[in-house]
Amino acid sequence: MTNLNSILSDINKLSNHDKEIIIDAIEEILMFGSCALDVESDIKEHRFSKGRVCPHCGGHDICRYGKSQGKQRYLCHSCKKTFADFTSSPAYNSKKPLEKWLLYAKCMINGYSVRKSAATI
Ligand SMILES: [Zn+2]
């Protein structure tokens, strides 16, 4: 049975390079996982800061319209179109989750090349 002490013991046996890889992985899990949730809630809060507004027509007659793939959808009664929290945003059409974009941004800030940043995420 694996426990924390055996994990720590195994980590101590690793090379410094492998320890850095583990630190990066833990950092990614701890920092960017929660950071992505904060960014998502910030985007939602900003989008709906003046009430719910349809990104297609600007209408305010909006209701919840179920969920798709775990994401809340909304229906605009004015134009009859549906939308989600990220519709018409750069994140909407991205196939990569927000966590990956945050990690990519971290790589760019650290001065990695585009190629190395892409390989890292
Ligand atoms: Zn609309």
Side-chain angles (χ1 to χ4, degrees):
M1 175 101 183
T2 305
N3 62 32
L4 183 59
N5 287 335
S6 69
I7 292 170
L8 292 173
S9 172
D10 290 343
I11 288 174
N12 278 329
K13 295 173 190 167
L14 296 173
S15 68
N16 285 342
H17 175 73
D18 288 345
K19 287 177 185 173
E20 286 178 20
I21 291 171
I22 288 182
I23 289 170
D24 284 345
I26 291 172
E27 182 182 84
E28 183 181 338
I29 291 166
L30 294 177
M31 292 183 65
F32 292 102
S34 61
C35 185
L37 292 176
D38 290 345
V39 170
E40 274 188 34
S41 69
D42 286 351
I43 290 171
K44 280 185 204 174
E45 209 175 290
H46 178 72
R47 169 164 272 184
F48 298 131
S49 63
K50 296 175 183 164
R52 290 196 178 127
V53 179
C54 173
H56 303 293
C57 71
H60 291 271
D61 192 7
I62 308 294
C63 70
R64 290 175 177 254
Y65 196 64
K67 289 188 176 183
S68 175
Q69 298 174 352
K71 306 279 183 184
Q72 180 66 50
R73 298 221 36 101
Y74 303 93
L75 172 68
C76 172
H77 291 288
S78 300
C79 68
K80 307 294 183 204
K81 292 182 179 177
T82 63
F83 60 95
D85 293 323
F86 294 100
T87 299
S88 301
S89 75
Y92 184 69
N93 289 321
S94 175
K95 291 182 170 57
K96 295 196 181 303
L98 200 50
E99 296 88 9
K100 292 279 184 188
W101 284 111
L102 292 171
L103 185 60
Y104 188 78
K106 177 191 164 200
C107 290
M108 298 302 287
I109 290 168
N110 285 338
Y112 291 8
S113 67
V114 172
R115 185 178 303 252
K116 187 176 179 185
S117 297
T120 301
I121 64 170

